[in-house]
Amino acid sequence: MDARRLTKECPSVVGMIASTLQAGGSIDTAIRTVSEQGPRNSSELFREAVMAADTKGSESLVTALNSLLENLHSSLSGYRRAIMMTISASESSDESSRDAMLKDASDMALESVKELGESYSASLTMPCMMVFGLGIMVPVIMMSILPMLSVGGMFGAKMLDQKTVVLMTLVVIPTVILAVTILVRDKNPFVSDEHDSEVLKLALPLLSVIPIMISLLYIGTEPSRAVLLSFIPACILTALLMIDVIQFERGRCRRENSLMNVIFDLGNRMVSGVNFERASIDSIRSSEECLDISDTLEREYAMCRGDELSAISNTIGPVSKEVSMAMSNIYVCSTKDADDAGRMALTMGRQFQSVTIAKKGMETRLKSMTDMMMGTAMFFAPLVLGLSISMLEPLSRIGGTISLDYTSLILSIYLIELSALISILMTCLGSGDRMYKTVWRFCLICPVSLIVFTLCCNLSL
């Protein structure tokens, strides 16, 4: 069980337990709810507790869960304390004490996530420097050594040939960078495990590279120039076709953030005595980003004939599953006690705000690193490699043994590989973008990289 992923799930688990308790449910009900509907790693842990209790392997669900929590790794102390705090809150007979303990558990869970984010951000320095060194410095060094080996018999016998350089540049270095990228993704506790089935469909226009390149080679275009003239239009075409998807996703993210802020307002309205339906519509309508959602939700309420959960799922679910689940729990609680539902909404609203602040803080810390990666693939790598070719070509002609005729072609292909690898790496950082962002970034980085490289190669030094 991944300790990092378990810590990331802590605020969600505490929120689910708190919402169940505040809705009048028991701790046993809360544990079973997490085992069935909770985040993946936590649901596995809670299912073990449920299994132990149901098979008489433990006296009760609480005892079974406490036993499992005690056996967790020491790095999960924050997760353990937060869950145990919710269990203690469930045993409190005083409502104000229970709410205070649940708030402390929520704060403890959020603090654990913040510490995890800071630790993760600090751990990225070495992998990113490795990518920088392998992606730029190693190809430049090999290119520098290659022509010098043939000048006057320098360094004795020939140690490198063009085939070795091609193998190192196009196979070995990209493989190592890909391995580092996989390692970074595996250690990222915030990346989503969901698979984006639309990514292949969005990437299909990139296949237009094949017929364009074949046509260019057929009419006698130089291979390096054919690579440039085939990838640029293919990437531009793909990017243009993806604009609607990118804009839609950006709008969805803005509306999701607005809906998270709306939960707190929903709680305030319900505490003031407004019923759930009216409060949910008015609170969502108070956000300019969500006016259409409030109108749709009002129509769904009118049509659902008492099935408010379906109305919430159909309207809020496509924008944010988290907010949809939160509003569903608030509605269920409101059917028993509106005041408790209002207080639960206030607690969830504060939790959403705290999680948002924590994520923004982590993204801010990672921004300099992602900007460096983007600049490296788009400008610095092609600039250095292109100028290296311009400077080393005269030296290669002096040696006369080793030809650099195809070096620009080799490095053009390498820059395409580097653009793809950096795009994947950036997707694996932070909260983990959906995979279609990889295609989008590649379509932005690759054409600029090839243009910069071609211009630098043609400079006369």
Side-chain angles (χ1 to χ4, degrees):
M1 190 174 296
D2 193 333
R4 298 183 184 87
R5 300 288 176 90
L6 209 57
T7 301
K8 183 205 73 169
E9 296 170 357
C10 191
S12 298
V13 174
V14 170
M16 292 181 70
I17 295 175
S19 63
T20 302
L21 295 178
Q22 290 176 329
S26 65
I27 186 63
D28 287 0
T29 302
I31 293 173
R32 291 183 183 277
T33 300
V34 174
S35 70
E36 296 170 359
Q37 304 174 15
R40 191 182 70 175
N41 293 278
S42 294
S43 64
E44 291 179 7
L45 178 68
F46 279 64
R47 272 199 299 271
E48 289 184 33
V50 172
M51 182 69 70
D54 289 348
T55 57
K56 306 301 181 182
S58 184
E59 296 178 1
S60 65
L61 277 174
V62 172
T63 304
L65 183 59
N66 278 329
S67 177
L68 291 172
L69 292 173
E70 289 292 343
N71 293 327
L72 291 177
H73 192 269
S74 58
S75 62
L76 288 167
S77 58
Y79 183 92
R80 183 189 304 113
R81 289 196 301 269
I83 302 301
M84 286 184 170
M85 182 73 76
T86 61
I87 294 174
S88 299
S90 70
E91 297 169 353
S92 175
S93 57
D94 182 62
E95 185 176 337
S96 60
S97 297
R98 183 195 65 187
D99 291 342
M101 294 175 74
L102 290 175
K103 184 180 182 302
D104 290 341
S106 178
D107 293 340
M108 196 178 299
L110 291 170
E111 187 61 31
S112 299
V113 173
K114 289 180 183 178
E115 292 176 0
L116 180 64
E118 292 173 359
S119 174
Y120 168 68
S121 301
S123 69
L124 292 175
T125 303
M126 182 61 71
C128 291
M129 291 305 295
M130 184 181 296
V131 171
F132 178 83
L134 286 173
I136 300 175
M137 301 311 297
V138 173
V140 170
I141 291 171
M142 287 193 302
M143 286 179 50
S144 302
I145 292 176
L146 190 59
M148 288 190 291
L149 290 174
S150 62
V151 178
M154 290 181 69
F155 309 114
K158 182 165 63 174
M159 295 180 293
L160 290 175
D161 57 18
Q162 199 164 10
K163 292 182 180 179
T164 304
V165 173
V166 171
L167 179 65
M168 290 286 292
T169 304
L170 299 185
V171 180
V172 177
I173 294 175
T175 300
V176 175
I177 294 176
L178 181 60
V180 172
T181 301
I182 294 173
L183 180 64
V184 168
R185 189 187 190 284
D186 185 60
K187 289 188 174 183
N188 184 358
F190 301 99
V191 72
S192 174
D193 293 324
E194 295 182 3
H195 298 287
D196 194 347
S197 58
E198 295 292 322
V199 65
L200 293 177
K201 178 181 177 181
L202 295 172
L204 281 177
L206 285 174
L207 294 178
S208 60
V209 165
I210 298 174
I212 295 175
M213 185 174 294
I214 291 175
S215 301
L216 291 171
L217 292 175
Y218 181 78
I219 62 176
T221 307
E222 294 180 5
S224 58
R225 190 62 57 84
V227 170
L228 174 71
L229 297 178
S230 58
F231 269 89
I232 288 179
C235 289
I236 292 175
L237 174 63
T238 305
L240 290 174
L241 294 175
M242 290 183 66
I243 287 177
D244 289 342
V245 176
I246 296 296
Q247 290 179 342
F248 174 81
E249 182 62 18
R250 286 175 180 171
R252 190 201 64 79
C253 290
R254 288 195 300 269
R255 285 182 291 175
E256 181 179 33
N257 292 331
S258 297
L259 286 174
M260 288 182 176
N261 295 328
V262 157
I263 296 297
F264 191 83
D265 185 32
L266 171 63
N268 283 328
R269 293 175 188 270
M270 294 187 68
V271 168
S272 300
V274 183
N275 65 48
F276 174 81
E277 289 188 15
R278 191 71 261 160
S280 60
I281 294 171
D282 291 343
S283 58
I284 293 175
R285 186 167 290 159
S286 65
S287 173
E288 293 183 4
E289 294 282 351
C290 303
L291 291 176
D292 59 329
I293 297 177
S294 66
D295 294 337
T296 304
L297 183 61
E298 188 171 18
R299 288 194 298 269
E300 286 285 341
Y301 280 151
M303 297 172 61
C304 70
R305 297 180 182 179
D307 188 7
E308 280 80 0
L309 292 178
S310 295
I312 294 170
S313 177
N314 294 337
T315 307
I316 309 297
V319 180
S320 174
K321 292 181 180 178
E322 289 184 76
V323 178
S324 175
M325 182 179 294
M327 289 188 65
S328 297
N329 291 333
I330 294 168
Y331 167 72
V332 171
C333 183
S334 70
T335 60
K336 301 175 182 178
D337 191 303
D339 289 338
D340 285 345
R343 287 192 292 272
M344 183 173 73
L346 291 174
T347 301
M348 287 185 169
R350 282 192 293 267
Q351 188 178 52
F352 277 135
Q353 290 172 359
S354 299
V355 170
T356 301
I357 291 172
K359 286 184 177 181
K360 286 183 178 179
M362 184 184 68
E363 290 172 359
T364 300
R365 288 191 295 271
L366 290 176
K367 190 175 187 305
S368 60
M369 194 169 297
T370 55
D371 288 346
M372 184 192 73
M373 288 292 176
M374 193 87 165
T376 295
M378 190 177 287
F379 296 107
F380 190 68
L383 181 68
V384 172
L385 295 175
L387 291 177
S388 298
I389 287 181
S390 296
M391 290 186 292
L392 294 175
E393 188 174 357
L395 186 60
S396 177
R397 286 199 296 266
I398 293 173
T401 304
I402 299 175
S403 173
L404 293 180
D405 289 344
Y406 292 98
T407 303
S408 60
L409 172 62
I410 294 168
L411 290 181
S412 294
I413 298 174
Y414 170 71
L415 286 172
I416 295 170
E417 294 179 346
L418 183 65
S419 298
L421 291 169
I422 293 297
S423 300
I424 296 172
L425 178 59
M426 291 179 67
T427 303
C428 296
L429 297 176
S431 300
D433 291 324
R434 292 174 60 186
M435 283 303 296
Y436 76 87
K437 283 286 189 71
T438 301
V439 180
W440 174 255
R441 288 194 182 100
F442 175 78
C443 292
L444 297 181
I445 295 173
C446 184
V448 177
S449 178
L450 290 176
I451 291 172
V452 172
F453 176 70
T454 302
L455 292 175
C456 292
C457 285
N458 292 330
L459 292 177
S460 298
L461 299 176

